[in-house]
Each structure stands twice: as C-alpha cells, then as structure tokens.
Amino acid sequence: MYKVIFTLVLAVASFMGIQAQEFQGMAVYESKTSTSDFKTRMERNKNMTPDMQNMIEERMKKMFEKTFILNFNKSASIYKEEEKLEASAQAGGGMRMMSSMTGGGGTYYKNVKEKSYTIDKEFMGKEFLIKDSLPNLQWKMEGETRVIGGYNCFKATAVRPASKTDFRNFRPKKEDAATTKPADAAKKTSILDELDMPKETVITAWYTPEIPVNQGPENYWGLPGLILEVNDGKTVILCSKVVLNPKVKTEIKASSKGKVTSQKEFDETVLKKMEEFRDMNQGRGGNGGMRMRSGG
C-alpha cells in the first residue's frame, strides 16, 4: 500500500516538474522614447526647413518607436525586435548604427538563474557577441498597484548609472543665450557636441506576481513577477499582449555568432567610433554632423 502511494506521489512530482520545465510564455512590448526636446531644438533652428524637420521626425520615430517580442520560461528569455521588412530594406549603415544604440538590432538572451546575458549585435558591419553579468538592480518596493492588461501589478523603483552608448539616454544641452559666445557656437561641429548624458536614470517598473517569473524586457529583471511596464528616463516600454504556454514553443537559447566581448569592451568600441565621427566632421569644416542616410 505504502509502495503504491509512494509511486503515485513520485509520478505526480515528476509530472509537475516536467510541466514547470516546459512552461513558456510570450509577451509583446511597445517601446517609445520621447523626442520632444529634440523637436523643440529643431523648431528653433532657422536654417532647417519644415520638410527637413518632417523627414528627421519620421526617421526618429522609426528609431525610437519599436515593437519587441519576449519569449520566456522559468529561468531564461530571449528579447528581440519585431522584424519589419520596410525598415530592413531602407536602413543604411548610419541608420543601423543608430538602431543598435536605441535598443534594437540583435537578440537579448537573459539567464536569471546564472545571472548572465548574451547579446548578438551588428555594429559598423561587424558581428559582436556581448557576454556579461546581469545588472544588479536594487529594487525598492513602492506599494502602489494598478492593472495592466488584466493583470494586477505592483510598483518598484531602482536607480542605476546611465549607459553612455544608449542613444535613448542622450538629451540636447541646455543653452544660455547670455553665456553662449559666437566662438563657442562655431566649435560645435557634431551632433555629439550638442548632446548631454545624465549620470544616472531612475527606473520605475510594474510587475505582476500572477506570472511568477523573474523576467522582463531588455535587461530589466529581478522582481517576483513578469515586468509588464518600464519607465526608464525618457523611454517607456509597455506590454501589449501576453500568451502563456503557447502551442508553438520557441527555442530559448543564447546566440553563438560574433566576436565575443564584454559590455565594457563593446561600449568602448562604440564610443571610439562616435569620436571618429566627430573628428571626421570637424575635418569637413563642421557642416557634416552625424548624418542618417536612408540609403546603403
């Protein structure tokens, strides 16, 4: 009798273990970064025609408004931008570089069990495989609640250093007409000279314990439930759809293509290339700026 009970308990435990192991979910996120400060700066530029403003606004919209898919299980996830044929066909080198600096381009694999991540990114025609440890976000539980997509969510906040290679963190420098000299204005030969970077950003996340996975979009993680919304600086990432245990399973594993590098080494490569852009434009007499061409 005891042997039968033990066998039944073992079978149930094994079944539950298999179910937990096979558990998988899919979430769709809409990412949007505010460009209002850049728009205000353009409107003040008397040398920029309305057509030029509209063209730049349209390109910025494509760069700063993206859709991502997160496939996750209990221990790992992959986060990737939804592919758009139109964007892929039109993106030139400059646009692809900017895309990689605005959260797009490549697959973001997170393993919360090992506290590590792997990203495959193309930058300036080269394939990189970034491998590093997940950021140690010190979340503070705020106690506020709200409903997102039918799920009860709780608020949490954290503060972390701003990434110097994430273009979404940049903002136009404030100009003081009383202190800005003509000579200083003449020195501004690149868009990089017009931008400023905050030292740190405040993250506000909304997570739901009703989906008990330690996951979220991009590199956000570490809360007792799936993160459905993130406000990070000027960027808002909002979940628009969740599917639990989809019929078609997605293979969740890290990419293996590209030159293996750390996040620090990759950031140094990007910053060096940005400096080269600035030097190149200075050599052209300051009329170039960082151009974003739609052609290849």
Side-chain angles (χ1 to χ4, degrees):
M1 182 67 180
Y2 289 108
K3 186 176 181 181
V4 173
I5 294 174
F6 175 78
T7 303
L8 287 171
V9 170
L10 186 63
V12 171
S14 299
F15 175 75
M16 291 179 68
I18 292 172
Q19 287 292 93
Q21 187 177 9
E22 291 182 347
F23 167 79
Q24 192 173 119
M26 184 274 289
V28 179
Y29 291 88
E30 308 295 335
S31 175
K32 185 174 182 178
T33 301
S34 173
T35 58
S36 58
D37 46 6
F38 287 98
K39 185 177 180 180
T40 301
R41 181 62 61 88
M42 284 193 298
E43 290 172 349
R44 292 176 181 173
N45 190 340
K46 297 180 180 179
N47 296 323
M48 190 172 292
T49 65
D51 288 341
M52 290 173 63
Q53 289 184 22
N54 293 333
M55 180 185 68
I56 293 175
E57 283 181 34
E58 186 63 29
R59 291 181 180 179
M60 290 182 75
K61 181 179 180 180
K62 289 181 180 179
M63 285 193 297
F64 291 110
E65 294 184 16
K66 300 173 181 289
T67 300
F68 294 86
I69 307 296
L70 177 74
N71 289 283
F72 59 89
N73 55 33
K74 288 286 186 179
S75 61
S77 66
I78 51 174
Y79 184 72
K80 188 173 183 179
E81 183 179 356
E82 184 180 59
E83 293 184 3
K84 296 177 182 178
L85 295 176
E86 180 186 357
S88 300
Q90 292 183 354
M95 287 291 287
R96 282 195 295 267
M97 183 184 76
M98 295 298 292
S99 177
S100 69
M101 295 170 67
T102 54
T107 301
Y108 198 118
Y109 170 84
K110 288 198 303 289
N111 189 313
V112 296
K113 190 175 181 180
E114 299 175 357
K115 297 181 180 179
S116 63
Y117 68 89
T118 302
I119 316 173
D120 63 310
K121 269 186 177 290
E122 179 187 348
F123 182 72
M124 302 302 291
K126 296 181 180 179
E127 294 283 348
F128 291 89
L129 190 66
I130 307 167
K131 291 187 175 185
D132 220 313
S133 300
L134 283 169
N136 183 21
L137 298 171
Q138 300 294 321
W139 293 107
K140 177 184 176 184
M141 305 303 179
E142 300 293 349
E144 297 179 42
T145 63
R146 57 182 284 209
V147 177
I148 300 176
Y151 292 96
N152 293 309
C153 297
F154 294 83
K155 182 180 179 181
T157 58
V159 179
R160 69 173 177 183
S163 169
K164 294 181 180 179
T165 59
D166 190 339
F167 202 79
R168 293 171 299 180
N169 290 325
F170 285 91
R171 57 195 178 194
K173 289 182 179 178
K174 294 182 179 179
E175 290 187 355
D176 187 344
T179 58
T180 303
K181 300 177 182 179
D184 294 332
K187 291 179 181 178
K188 292 182 178 180
T189 58
S190 166
I191 190 174
L192 299 177
D193 295 315
E194 298 279 356
L195 301 176
D196 203 358
M197 167 68 74
K199 292 183 179 180
E200 59 186 21
T201 60
V202 178
I203 305 167
T204 299
W206 294 89
Y207 69 95
T208 176
E210 295 173 16
I211 307 177
V213 294
N214 196 357
Q215 291 288 349
E218 283 191 31
N219 58 357
Y220 306 101
W221 72 292
L223 287 168
L226 180 66
I227 299 173
L228 296 185
E229 181 176 332
V230 174
N231 288 264
D232 187 343
K234 298 187 299 179
T235 300
V236 177
I237 304 174
L238 178 62
C239 181
S240 59
K241 180 181 179 181
V242 176
V243 178
L244 300 179
N245 288 314
K247 293 181 180 179
V248 179
K249 302 291 184 180
T250 300
E251 187 177 22
I252 299 176
K253 69 174 187 178
S255 177
S256 58
K257 63 178 182 179
K259 178 185 177 182
V260 177
T261 182
S262 67
Q263 187 68 60
K264 182 180 178 182
E265 291 170 337
F266 178 76
D267 289 348
E268 289 174 350
T269 299
V270 173
L271 291 172
K272 182 179 179 181
K273 185 57 64 175
M274 290 171 69
E275 290 293 333
E276 290 178 4
F277 264 96
R278 178 162 58 185
D279 293 343
M280 179 177 65
N281 287 309
Q282 285 176 341
R284 290 175 178 173
N287 295 320
M290 185 181 286
R291 294 184 174 89
M292 293 180 290
R293 296 179 298 174
S294 60

